[in-house]
mmCIF file of all heavy atoms in Angstrom:
data_model
loop_
_atom_site.group_PDB
_atom_site.id
_atom_site.type_symbol
_atom_site.label_atom_id
_atom_site.label_comp_id
_atom_site.label_asym_id
_atom_site.label_seq_id
_atom_site.Cartn_x
_atom_site.Cartn_y
_atom_site.Cartn_z
ATOM 1 N N GLN A 18 11.772 78.217 -25.504
ATOM 2 C CA GLN A 18 10.382 77.972 -25.878
ATOM 3 C C GLN A 18 10.185 78.192 -27.371
ATOM 4 O O GLN A 18 10.692 79.153 -27.949
ATOM 5 C CB GLN A 18 9.451 78.879 -25.087
ATOM 6 C CG GLN A 18 9.186 78.375 -23.663
ATOM 7 C CD GLN A 18 7.930 78.965 -23.081
ATOM 8 O OE1 GLN A 18 7.609 80.126 -23.316
ATOM 9 N NE2 GLN A 18 7.194 78.178 -22.318
ATOM 10 N N LEU A 19 9.431 77.286 -27.958
ATOM 11 C CA LEU A 19 9.130 77.345 -29.385
ATOM 12 C C LEU A 19 7.611 77.350 -29.563
ATOM 13 O O LEU A 19 6.866 76.798 -28.738
ATOM 14 C CB LEU A 19 9.753 76.142 -30.100
ATOM 15 C CG LEU A 19 11.286 76.026 -30.004
ATOM 16 C CD1 LEU A 19 11.758 74.688 -30.565
ATOM 17 C CD2 LEU A 19 11.968 77.180 -30.746
ATOM 18 N N TYR A 20 7.154 77.938 -30.681
ATOM 19 C CA TYR A 20 5.712 78.151 -30.885
ATOM 20 C C TYR A 20 5.315 77.697 -32.280
ATOM 21 O O TYR A 20 6.137 77.639 -33.201
ATOM 22 C CB TYR A 20 5.369 79.633 -30.692
ATOM 23 C CG TYR A 20 5.812 80.182 -29.353
ATOM 24 C CD1 TYR A 20 7.073 80.746 -29.202
ATOM 25 C CD2 TYR A 20 4.975 80.117 -28.245
ATOM 26 C CE1 TYR A 20 7.501 81.244 -27.977
ATOM 27 C CE2 TYR A 20 5.385 80.607 -27.015
ATOM 28 C CZ TYR A 20 6.656 81.162 -26.887
ATOM 29 O OH TYR A 20 7.075 81.644 -25.666
ATOM 30 N N ASN A 21 4.010 77.428 -32.419
ATOM 31 C CA ASN A 21 3.488 77.069 -33.736
ATOM 32 C C ASN A 21 2.953 78.307 -34.444
ATOM 33 O O ASN A 21 3.049 79.437 -33.935
ATOM 34 C CB ASN A 21 2.412 75.985 -33.624
ATOM 35 C CG ASN A 21 1.237 76.427 -32.768
ATOM 36 O OD1 ASN A 21 1.005 77.621 -32.576
ATOM 37 N ND2 ASN A 21 0.463 75.458 -32.258
ATOM 38 N N LEU A 22 2.352 78.103 -35.581
ATOM 39 C CA LEU A 22 1.882 79.218 -36.410
ATOM 40 C C LEU A 22 0.813 80.034 -35.696
ATOM 41 O O LEU A 22 0.715 81.256 -35.892
ATOM 42 C CB LEU A 22 1.333 78.671 -37.740
ATOM 43 C CG LEU A 22 0.963 79.698 -38.808
ATOM 44 C CD1 LEU A 22 2.199 80.503 -39.229
ATOM 45 C CD2 LEU A 22 0.361 78.996 -40.032
ATOM 46 N N ALA A 23 0.024 79.396 -34.827
ATOM 47 C CA ALA A 23 -1.038 80.107 -34.095
ATOM 48 C C ALA A 23 -0.507 80.840 -32.875
ATOM 49 O O ALA A 23 -1.273 81.520 -32.185
ATOM 50 C CB ALA A 23 -2.126 79.121 -33.686
ATOM 51 N N GLY A 24 0.779 80.713 -32.576
ATOM 52 C CA GLY A 24 1.356 81.376 -31.426
ATOM 53 C C GLY A 24 1.280 80.573 -30.155
ATOM 54 O O GLY A 24 1.598 81.084 -29.072
ATOM 55 N N ASP A 25 0.856 79.314 -30.242
ATOM 56 C CA ASP A 25 0.787 78.457 -29.057
ATOM 57 C C ASP A 25 2.115 77.734 -28.849
ATOM 58 O O ASP A 25 2.802 77.357 -29.811
ATOM 59 C CB ASP A 25 -0.330 77.426 -29.222
ATOM 60 C CG ASP A 25 -1.697 78.077 -29.392
ATOM 61 O OD1 ASP A 25 -1.927 79.107 -28.730
ATOM 62 O OD2 ASP A 25 -2.502 77.542 -30.185
ATOM 63 N N ALA A 26 2.473 77.514 -27.578
ATOM 64 C CA ALA A 26 3.670 76.737 -27.266
ATOM 65 C C ALA A 26 3.483 75.305 -27.745
ATOM 66 O O ALA A 26 2.418 74.704 -27.556
ATOM 67 C CB ALA A 26 3.949 76.774 -25.771
ATOM 68 N N ILE A 27 4.501 74.780 -28.389
ATOM 69 C CA ILE A 27 4.384 73.413 -28.932
ATOM 70 C C ILE A 27 4.307 72.419 -27.775
ATOM 71 O O ILE A 27 4.812 72.654 -26.677
ATOM 72 C CB ILE A 27 5.559 73.076 -29.858
ATOM 73 C CG1 ILE A 27 6.888 73.122 -29.088
ATOM 74 C CG2 ILE A 27 5.602 74.008 -31.047
ATOM 75 C CD1 ILE A 27 8.072 72.630 -29.896
ATOM 76 N N SER A 28 3.657 71.277 -28.054
ATOM 77 C CA SER A 28 3.517 70.232 -27.043
ATOM 78 C C SER A 28 3.437 68.893 -27.740
ATOM 79 O O SER A 28 3.257 68.804 -28.959
ATOM 80 C CB SER A 28 2.260 70.466 -26.199
ATOM 81 O OG SER A 28 1.090 70.361 -27.012
ATOM 82 N N THR A 29 3.555 67.847 -26.938
ATOM 83 C CA THR A 29 3.501 66.494 -27.495
ATOM 84 C C THR A 29 2.123 66.186 -28.058
ATOM 85 O O THR A 29 1.977 65.537 -29.087
ATOM 86 C CB THR A 29 3.861 65.454 -26.414
ATOM 87 O OG1 THR A 29 5.152 65.753 -25.899
ATOM 88 C CG2 THR A 29 3.868 64.049 -26.980
ATOM 89 N N GLY A 30 1.077 66.696 -27.419
ATOM 90 C CA GLY A 30 -0.279 66.376 -27.838
ATOM 91 C C GLY A 30 -0.679 67.016 -29.148
ATOM 92 O O GLY A 30 -1.495 66.473 -29.888
ATOM 93 N N ALA A 31 -0.124 68.194 -29.459
ATOM 94 C CA ALA A 31 -0.494 68.891 -30.697
ATOM 95 C C ALA A 31 0.690 68.870 -31.652
ATOM 96 O O ALA A 31 1.688 69.543 -31.421
ATOM 97 C CB ALA A 31 -0.897 70.333 -30.385
ATOM 98 N N SER A 32 0.567 68.084 -32.704
ATOM 99 C CA SER A 32 1.665 67.958 -33.655
ATOM 100 C C SER A 32 1.876 69.265 -34.406
ATOM 101 O O SER A 32 0.923 69.915 -34.851
ATOM 102 C CB SER A 32 1.364 66.830 -34.644
ATOM 103 O OG SER A 32 2.395 66.729 -35.606
ATOM 104 N N THR A 33 3.133 69.672 -34.501
ATOM 105 C CA THR A 33 3.494 70.898 -35.209
ATOM 106 C C THR A 33 4.460 70.569 -36.328
ATOM 107 O O THR A 33 5.461 69.888 -36.106
ATOM 108 C CB THR A 33 4.155 71.905 -34.249
ATOM 109 O OG1 THR A 33 3.248 72.216 -33.188
ATOM 110 C CG2 THR A 33 4.547 73.184 -34.979
ATOM 111 N N ASN A 34 4.135 71.059 -37.544
ATOM 112 C CA ASN A 34 5.051 70.869 -38.657
ATOM 113 C C ASN A 34 6.227 71.829 -38.534
ATOM 114 O O ASN A 34 6.096 72.946 -38.025
ATOM 115 C CB ASN A 34 4.335 71.095 -39.984
ATOM 116 C CG ASN A 34 3.301 70.014 -40.269
ATOM 117 O OD1 ASN A 34 3.443 68.880 -39.804
ATOM 118 N ND2 ASN A 34 2.266 70.355 -41.013
ATOM 119 N N LEU A 35 7.385 71.385 -39.009
ATOM 120 C CA LEU A 35 8.580 72.222 -38.891
ATOM 121 C C LEU A 35 8.424 73.550 -39.626
ATOM 122 O O LEU A 35 8.961 74.575 -39.187
ATOM 123 C CB LEU A 35 9.804 71.463 -39.433
ATOM 124 C CG LEU A 35 10.276 70.258 -38.603
ATOM 125 C CD1 LEU A 35 11.505 69.619 -39.253
ATOM 126 C CD2 LEU A 35 10.597 70.664 -37.178
ATOM 127 N N VAL A 36 7.695 73.556 -40.731
ATOM 128 C CA VAL A 36 7.548 74.800 -41.496
ATOM 129 C C VAL A 36 6.697 75.820 -40.744
ATOM 130 O O VAL A 36 6.658 76.996 -41.121
ATOM 131 C CB VAL A 36 6.942 74.515 -42.890
ATOM 132 C CG1 VAL A 36 7.907 73.689 -43.742
ATOM 133 C CG2 VAL A 36 5.592 73.806 -42.765
ATOM 134 N N ASP A 37 6.009 75.391 -39.665
ATOM 135 C CA ASP A 37 5.200 76.300 -38.844
ATOM 136 C C ASP A 37 5.895 76.672 -37.539
ATOM 137 O O ASP A 37 5.319 77.397 -36.718
ATOM 138 C CB ASP A 37 3.843 75.661 -38.514
ATOM 139 C CG ASP A 37 3.011 75.400 -39.754
ATOM 140 O OD1 ASP A 37 3.178 76.154 -40.739
ATOM 141 O OD2 ASP A 37 2.217 74.436 -39.741
ATOM 142 N N LEU A 38 7.119 76.210 -37.332
ATOM 143 C CA LEU A 38 7.814 76.400 -36.063
ATOM 144 C C LEU A 38 8.445 77.793 -35.993
ATOM 145 O O LEU A 38 9.137 78.231 -36.919
ATOM 146 C CB LEU A 38 8.895 75.325 -35.896
ATOM 147 C CG LEU A 38 9.457 75.106 -34.490
ATOM 148 C CD1 LEU A 38 8.361 74.637 -33.549
ATOM 149 C CD2 LEU A 38 10.592 74.081 -34.533
ATOM 150 N N ARG A 39 8.189 78.501 -34.862
ATOM 151 C CA ARG A 39 8.699 79.864 -34.673
ATOM 152 C C ARG A 39 9.275 80.029 -33.276
ATOM 153 O O ARG A 39 9.004 79.233 -32.385
ATOM 154 C CB ARG A 39 7.574 80.885 -34.895
ATOM 155 C CG ARG A 39 7.186 81.043 -36.370
ATOM 156 C CD ARG A 39 5.875 81.785 -36.523
ATOM 157 N NE ARG A 39 5.628 82.212 -37.888
ATOM 158 C CZ ARG A 39 5.308 81.401 -38.882
ATOM 159 N NH1 ARG A 39 5.191 80.102 -38.665
ATOM 160 N NH2 ARG A 39 5.112 81.872 -40.105
ATOM 161 N N THR A 40 10.069 81.075 -33.119
ATOM 162 C CA THR A 40 10.676 81.360 -31.807
ATOM 163 C C THR A 40 9.888 82.404 -31.023
ATOM 164 O O THR A 40 10.215 82.681 -29.875
ATOM 165 C CB THR A 40 12.127 81.849 -32.000
ATOM 166 O OG1 THR A 40 12.120 83.020 -32.835
ATOM 167 C CG2 THR A 40 12.992 80.764 -32.621
ATOM 168 N N THR A 41 8.857 83.004 -31.631
ATOM 169 C CA THR A 41 8.042 84.017 -30.952
ATOM 170 C C THR A 41 6.569 83.663 -31.094
ATOM 171 O O THR A 41 6.163 82.934 -32.015
ATOM 172 C CB THR A 41 8.280 85.410 -31.548
ATOM 173 O OG1 THR A 41 7.960 85.401 -32.944
ATOM 174 C CG2 THR A 41 9.747 85.821 -31.372
ATOM 175 N N THR A 42 5.765 84.217 -30.211
ATOM 176 C CA THR A 42 4.326 83.913 -30.244
ATOM 177 C C THR A 42 3.641 84.573 -31.421
ATOM 178 O O THR A 42 2.672 84.036 -31.959
ATOM 179 C CB THR A 42 3.665 84.375 -28.938
ATOM 180 O OG1 THR A 42 3.933 85.783 -28.768
ATOM 181 C CG2 THR A 42 4.213 83.605 -27.756
ATOM 182 N N THR A 43 4.057 85.760 -31.803
ATOM 183 C CA THR A 43 3.449 86.458 -32.936
ATOM 184 C C THR A 43 4.553 86.994 -33.833
ATOM 185 O O THR A 43 5.639 87.375 -33.384
ATOM 186 C CB THR A 43 2.600 87.640 -32.450
ATOM 187 O OG1 THR A 43 3.424 88.534 -31.682
ATOM 188 C CG2 THR A 43 1.436 87.159 -31.597
ATOM 189 N N GLY A 44 4.237 87.013 -35.105
ATOM 190 C CA GLY A 44 5.188 87.565 -36.073
ATOM 191 C C GLY A 44 6.413 86.681 -36.199
ATOM 192 O O GLY A 44 6.480 85.565 -35.697
ATOM 193 N N GLY A 45 7.427 87.237 -36.845
ATOM 194 C CA GLY A 45 8.651 86.479 -37.055
ATOM 195 C C GLY A 45 8.477 85.444 -38.148
ATOM 196 O O GLY A 45 7.362 85.050 -38.510
ATOM 197 N N SER A 46 9.586 85.005 -38.681
ATOM 198 C CA SER A 46 9.560 84.037 -39.772
ATOM 199 C C SER A 46 9.731 82.622 -39.234
ATOM 200 O O SER A 46 10.224 82.414 -38.119
ATOM 201 C CB SER A 46 10.675 84.338 -40.778
ATOM 202 O OG SER A 46 11.937 84.290 -40.149
ATOM 203 N N SER A 47 9.322 81.682 -40.037
ATOM 204 C CA SER A 47 9.453 80.274 -39.648
ATOM 205 C C SER A 47 10.927 79.874 -39.667
ATOM 206 O O SER A 47 11.718 80.368 -40.474
ATOM 207 C CB SER A 47 8.657 79.397 -40.607
ATOM 208 O OG SER A 47 8.871 78.033 -40.324
ATOM 209 N N ILE A 48 11.279 78.976 -38.741
ATOM 210 C CA ILE A 48 12.670 78.497 -38.686
ATOM 211 C C ILE A 48 12.996 77.652 -39.911
ATOM 212 O O ILE A 48 14.115 77.697 -40.424
ATOM 213 C CB ILE A 48 12.896 77.686 -37.397
ATOM 214 C CG1 ILE A 48 12.619 78.554 -36.164
ATOM 215 C CG2 ILE A 48 14.312 77.121 -37.332
ATOM 216 C CD1 ILE A 48 12.675 77.793 -34.847
ATOM 217 N N PHE A 49 12.024 76.902 -40.399
ATOM 218 C CA PHE A 49 12.246 75.979 -41.511
ATOM 219 C C PHE A 49 11.344 76.352 -42.685
ATOM 220 O O PHE A 49 10.250 76.902 -42.505
ATOM 221 C CB PHE A 49 11.933 74.541 -41.106
ATOM 222 C CG PHE A 49 12.770 74.011 -39.978
ATOM 223 C CD1 PHE A 49 12.332 74.114 -38.668
ATOM 224 C CD2 PHE A 49 13.986 73.404 -40.236
ATOM 225 C CE1 PHE A 49 13.090 73.615 -37.620
ATOM 226 C CE2 PHE A 49 14.753 72.898 -39.185
ATOM 227 C CZ PHE A 49 14.312 73.013 -37.886
ATOM 228 N N THR A 50 11.803 76.014 -43.869
ATOM 229 C CA THR A 50 10.978 76.070 -45.065
ATOM 230 C C THR A 50 11.114 74.749 -45.798
ATOM 231 O O THR A 50 12.119 74.030 -45.637
ATOM 232 C CB THR A 50 11.411 77.220 -46.000
ATOM 233 O OG1 THR A 50 12.781 77.029 -46.377
ATOM 234 C CG2 THR A 50 11.245 78.570 -45.322
ATOM 235 N N ALA A 51 10.092 74.406 -46.570
ATOM 236 C CA ALA A 51 10.126 73.151 -47.310
ATOM 237 C C ALA A 51 11.349 73.122 -48.223
ATOM 238 O O ALA A 51 11.658 74.104 -48.900
ATOM 239 C CB ALA A 51 8.847 72.991 -48.125
ATOM 240 N N GLY A 52 12.051 71.984 -48.234
ATOM 241 C CA GLY A 52 13.264 71.834 -49.040
ATOM 242 C C GLY A 52 14.537 72.033 -48.242
ATOM 243 O O GLY A 52 15.629 71.697 -48.738
ATOM 244 N N ASP A 53 14.433 72.576 -47.032
ATOM 245 C CA ASP A 53 15.627 72.719 -46.193
ATOM 246 C C ASP A 53 16.199 71.340 -45.855
ATOM 247 O O ASP A 53 15.479 70.343 -45.762
ATOM 248 C CB ASP A 53 15.290 73.450 -44.885
ATOM 249 C CG ASP A 53 15.143 74.949 -45.076
ATOM 250 O OD1 ASP A 53 15.614 75.458 -46.109
ATOM 251 O OD2 ASP A 53 14.550 75.609 -44.201
ATOM 252 N N VAL A 54 17.518 71.325 -45.659
ATOM 253 C CA VAL A 54 18.208 70.089 -45.263
ATOM 254 C C VAL A 54 18.835 70.297 -43.886
ATOM 255 O O VAL A 54 19.614 71.231 -43.682
ATOM 256 C CB VAL A 54 19.294 69.700 -46.283
ATOM 257 C CG1 VAL A 54 20.058 68.461 -45.798
ATOM 258 C CG2 VAL A 54 18.680 69.447 -47.647
#
């Protein structure tokens, strides 16, 4: 399960940017940052 910046589980209906993608509902760092390849 992956979550967005607000702690909600990602879904097809709600677009999530990669820089906001996290592995936990609260806290933790984003998996991606701008400029990553």
Side-chain angles (χ1 to χ4, degrees):
Q18 280 201 323
L19 300 171
Y20 305 90
N21 59 22
L22 188 62
D25 299 323
I27 62 173
S28 64
T29 303
S32 178
T33 301
N34 292 332
L35 291 181
V36 294
D37 297 331
L38 197 62
R39 287 166 167 72
T40 58
T41 59
T42 57
T43 58
S46 59
S47 175
I48 300 174
F49 299 93
T50 59
D53 283 343
V54 176

